[in-house]
Amino acid sequence: MAQGKILIIDDDPDITEAMTVVLENRGYEVRRASDSAEGREQLEKAKPDLIILDVMMRTSQEGFELSRELKGNARYKDIPILMLTAVKQKTGLDFKAEAGDQAWLPVEEFLDKPVKPNVLLEKVEDLLSARGA
Amino acid sequence: MENLLQRTSLIQRAYWLIGLRWVAIVMLAGATFAAGELLGVSLPAAQLYGIAALLLAYNSVLYLLLRYWTWAGQEPSSGEVGGILTFQISADLLILATILHFSGGIENPFLFFFVFHMIIASILRPRWQSYLQATLAVLLFGGLVLLEAARVLPHYRLTGFAGHGLHTDRMFVLGFLSVFTVTLYLVVYMTTSISEQLRAHQEELENANEQLKEKDQVKNEYVLRVTHDIKGHLAAIESCLDVVANGMLGPLNEKQRDFVERAHRRTIKCMAFVMALLKLTRMKLSGRLEMERFSLRKCVFSSLASVQSRAREKSLVLHHQIDPAIDEVLGEAVLIEETITNMLFNAVKYTPDGGRVGLDVTRDGDFVQVRIADTGIGIPEEALPYIFQEFYRAENARAVERDGTGLGLAFAKQVVERHGGRIWVENNPGGGSTFTFTLPDHS
């Protein structure tokens, strides 16, 4: 059984529920938040090892803003972020160029919804083991 | 936009007038020479050559001024260009009157050239200005012949061409002048009526076109919004079904599993469709492509690699040939690779087991040409014109795969055309079809 505490910040309760089942099935401990404010609260309380963050919540950029805030904060900057967005594809906004730019958008990985369970587990494992190493 | 169009065409017309004037200068010198030297007509050749020289200088200055003006970066307004045109036409009338004065006045048939200037003015300038130009022409020509008749101005005879004394025959001069006047005004009336109609019509078309573009934009934004919302729901449905279908919530009996899997499959199909539509719409709405030099060769190999296993499953022969001189081209690598991969997947999908799929890359003038040929089911003749249209699927393609999106080729067309290339399809004489697209090669 895998170990680690994961915080999902996403305003879609159904997707959050489904991801929770997938992750808990594998043995991870899952915490959930439906917006940035709740996310910050959970971060403080649960001290997760990984954050799964949706981009579009109340605003289309909420996730980006939160990720920048977290990476600018010494306490949280080492927690890897898996971001849920269609950046890998051609979007109206093009984040591709900035993906590796730490100052602009410091997240470790992107995945587009819907995330296949095996892909999700694989990425989570990669990020956690990279962190542990 | 519309103003810009009008202004551009006015500038073009200003250049056009200058071009015509070069011809007129050659004609003036040539006619003077021919009349004087070859036909033996007596002419004040020195004055006429002098006018030709002056005209040459005037036209050169005008040309350089216009060049400087359009080069210096200061965009002349359409009013300013119009002013230049008005000035040119008026100056030309004065010059024509002067030439006529030195070459026989009313005896010289070149006086018909006033009609050309009326036509030009009527096409390029507003109606009232054209009437003013006609009035100027009548005043200039009338003044000239009347003053010559009254012997206030000297009369240069065209001895050897026209009979003498016409220019002082009051009946002839007045009659000629009346018909001349009526002719010019009629020409302006007729030409402006037609050209104003044409101009209004053109404006209507441009407006309609602009409105269509705006509506298309609104439609695309609408589609993007709707599709994006649907995608959100579908993603949730698919995620939930994934969990159940993968048995993460416990085992299902056979019937339950069957139904969940059916729903799962249909959701995935629907998602594929939504994603394709989203991609196409985003492409349509996106501004400029991010063009960079990339290796087309690598793209092709990577596309070939992605269809390799599928081709092997169907025992297809997958061969390729790439002109060794072709490597880097300008474009957006991700899009081009996706396009080639899509086309290869199509070829593999619609080619029966044991067939052949070939890809070749060649140079065709300033373009690089990518061609994908297969020995597949081909495209029915009646479907050929529609094959790149959104949502269109040929009958025989439906038979092979019921739920295709009908968007793959529309996307390919969008990508290729945004790169400045062309895409088309032909059926092979021996069966199967060949898709070809070109990309401009700027190297």
Side-chain angles (χ1 to χ4, degrees):
Chain A
M1 281 306 238
Q3 293 228 325
K5 203 183 290 175
I6 297 170
L7 171 61
I8 302 175
I9 309 176
D10 190 333
D11 65 344
D12 186 322
D14 301 321
I15 288 193
T16 309
E17 191 65 42
M19 281 194 294
T20 305
V21 172
V22 172
L23 293 167
E24 284 181 346
N25 236 287
R26 184 54 69 92
Y28 295 110
E29 190 182 334
V30 179
R31 295 297 162 90
R32 299 185 288 192
S34 63
D35 60 32
S36 296
E38 235 180 87
R40 283 187 210 98
E41 228 172 83
Q42 286 289 336
L43 264 170
E44 200 59 37
K45 274 202 291 202
K47 312 223 178 324
D49 304 299
L50 175 95
I51 302 166
I52 296 175
L53 178 58
D54 184 29
V55 172
M56 284 204 194
M57 289 189 278
R58 260 188 218 122
T59 68
S60 60
Q61 301 278 314
E62 189 173 336
F64 284 125
E65 281 151 19
L66 182 62
S67 75
R68 259 174 286 180
E69 179 191 317
L70 296 183
K71 291 296 175 181
N73 184 329
R75 288 177 57 193
Y76 304 128
K77 72 178 172 46
D78 292 327
I79 306 176
I81 298 177
L82 169 57
M83 190 167 269
L84 301 179
T85 172
V87 281
K88 288 257 166 94
Q89 275 153 35
K90 192 74 198 159
T91 56
L93 293 162
D94 190 28
F95 313 116
K96 212 173 60 194
E98 289 92 351
D101 179 354
Q102 287 293 305
W104 197 85
L105 189 58
V107 303
E108 281 71 14
E109 190 66 64
F110 294 105
L111 281 178
D112 189 16
K113 286 182 185 175
V115 185
K116 289 269 140 210
N118 52 342
V119 177
L120 177 67
L121 290 172
E122 194 183 305
K123 293 288 178 198
V124 164
E125 202 172 307
D126 285 354
L127 288 175
L128 286 176
S129 63
R131 196 188 180 214
Chain B
M1 191 63 198
E2 190 185 298
N3 267 332
L4 183 74
L5 274 178
Q6 282 179 348
R7 191 172 58 213
T8 320
S9 80
L10 276 184
I11 291 177
Q12 281 166 354
R13 287 304 173 196
Y15 277 118
W16 176 69
L17 274 188
I18 289 173
L20 280 181
R21 205 169 293 109
W22 299 125
V23 178
I25 294 166
V26 173
M27 270 181 63
L28 172 59
T32 304
F33 179 81
E37 307 296 324
L38 305 178
L39 301 173
V41 177
S42 77
L43 279 172
Q47 280 93 327
L48 289 174
Y49 285 131
I51 293 174
L54 267 176
L55 211 47
L56 196 68
Y58 158 69
N59 210 31
S60 307
V61 169
L62 212 55
Y63 176 77
L64 290 175
L65 260 177
L66 210 58
R67 258 283 131 92
Y68 173 75
W69 208 354
T70 42
W71 263 356
Q74 313 157 264
E75 290 266 313
S77 69
S78 71
E80 286 170 323
V81 180
I84 294 180
L85 284 169
T86 302
F87 171 77
Q88 285 196 60
I89 295 166
S90 304
D92 285 341
L93 292 176
L94 181 64
I95 292 162
L96 180 57
T98 313
I99 293 169
L100 287 176
H101 170 60
F102 284 110
S103 55
I106 205 163
E107 293 166 12
N108 189 338
F110 276 104
L111 57 88
F112 287 116
F113 276 32
F114 276 109
V115 174
F116 293 158
H117 293 90
M118 294 307 105
I119 295 174
I120 289 170
S122 308
I123 293 173
L124 299 181
R125 307 306 298 141
R127 187 185 279 253
W128 64 272
Q129 271 203 27
S130 308
Y131 279 116
L132 277 186
Q133 298 282 13
T135 308
L136 177 64
V138 168
L139 287 178
L140 282 169
F141 183 70
L144 175 72
V145 296
L146 291 175
L147 288 175
E148 283 189 13
R151 299 180 203 283
V152 177
L153 280 178
H155 175 69
Y156 295 90
R157 290 175 186 166
L158 288 183
T159 311
F161 177 73
H164 299 304
L166 272 183
H167 72 286
T168 50
D169 185 324
R170 190 186 301 164
M171 209 40 199
F172 177 76
V173 170
L174 290 179
F176 196 105
L177 201 53
S178 314
V179 176
F180 178 83
T181 308
V182 172
T183 307
L184 290 201
Y185 282 109
L186 272 179
V187 164
V188 169
Y189 168 72
M190 291 180 192
T191 319
T192 49
S193 309
I194 296 170
S195 70
E196 272 184 7
Q197 222 172 358
L198 286 177
R199 219 175 296 166
H201 187 60
Q202 191 187 355
E203 216 162 283
E204 259 171 48
L205 281 180
E206 275 164 15
N207 283 341
N209 196 25
E210 207 52 43
Q211 277 177 4
L212 273 182
K213 276 188 198 156
E214 276 166 30
K215 285 198 174 136
D216 196 48
Q217 172 92 359
V218 170
K219 180 212 78 184
N220 282 332
E221 278 162 8
Y222 176 83
V223 171
L224 186 68
R225 217 206 137 76
V226 172
T227 324
H228 193 269
D229 285 354
I230 294 176
K231 189 199 155 201
H233 296 301
L234 272 180
I237 296 172
E238 196 180 323
S239 299
C240 291
L241 284 174
D242 270 338
V243 169
V244 182
N246 280 315
M248 290 180 183
L249 297 175
L252 300 172
N253 69 34
E254 202 178 316
K255 212 66 194 153
Q256 286 166 336
R257 170 171 293 278
D258 179 36
F259 272 82
V260 168
E261 273 172 3
R262 279 171 195 273
H264 197 209
R265 272 198 302 275
R266 289 302 281 266
T267 309
I268 288 171
K269 290 250 183 216
C270 187
M271 185 57 121
F273 174 78
V274 162
M275 296 292 262
L277 188 54
L278 210 51
K279 200 165 62 181
L280 181 67
T281 311
R282 277 187 180 136
M283 183 77 197
K284 284 185 186 168
L285 284 169
S286 73
R288 273 157 46 95
L289 294 181
E290 279 167 40
M291 307 277 258
E292 53 185 8
R293 295 202 70 78
F294 70 96
S295 168
L296 181 64
R297 178 174 289 273
K298 277 190 197 154
C299 262
V300 166
F301 281 127
S302 155
S303 296
L304 283 166
S306 20
V307 299
Q308 202 92 54
S309 65
R310 186 80 193 95
R312 206 172 299 129
E313 280 168 31
K314 295 184 74 177
S315 317
L316 300 180
V317 178
L318 190 61
H319 58 97
H320 67 269
Q321 193 168 6
I322 304 174
D323 179 342
I326 296 172
D327 187 11
E328 290 199 335
V329 294
L330 193 66
E332 207 170 310
V334 187
L335 294 176
I336 298 296
E337 184 178 323
E338 196 170 342
T339 301
I340 298 175
T341 310
N342 275 345
M343 288 164 74
L344 277 173
F345 261 118
N346 274 347
V348 168
K349 191 195 300 172
Y350 297 116
T351 300
D353 292 8
R356 292 158 58 87
V357 170
L359 180 154
D360 66 71
V361 182
T362 51
R363 178 176 302 282
D364 179 22
D366 290 337
F367 288 85
V368 167
Q369 201 171 73
V370 179
R371 200 163 44 200
I372 292 158
D374 62 52
T375 58
I377 59 174
I379 296 158
E381 211 53 42
E382 69 276 8
L384 279 172
Y386 310 108
I387 200 83
F388 292 102
Q389 275 180 16
E390 287 161 41
F391 308 116
Y392 183 84
R393 297 199 66 222
E395 284 295 328
N396 58 347
R398 271 175 211 282
V400 172
E401 189 196 42
R402 204 172 65 95
D403 309 311
T405 63
L407 291 172
L409 286 174
F411 182 71
K413 184 175 158 72
Q414 189 77 14
V415 168
V416 169
E417 288 180 354
R418 288 289 295 276
H419 278 79
R422 223 160 60 78
I423 186 166
W424 68 94
V425 63
E426 294 147 310
N427 277 323
N428 306 329
S433 49
T434 301
F435 282 84
T436 312
F437 75 86
T438 61
L439 289 177
D441 184 18
H442 305 279
S443 61

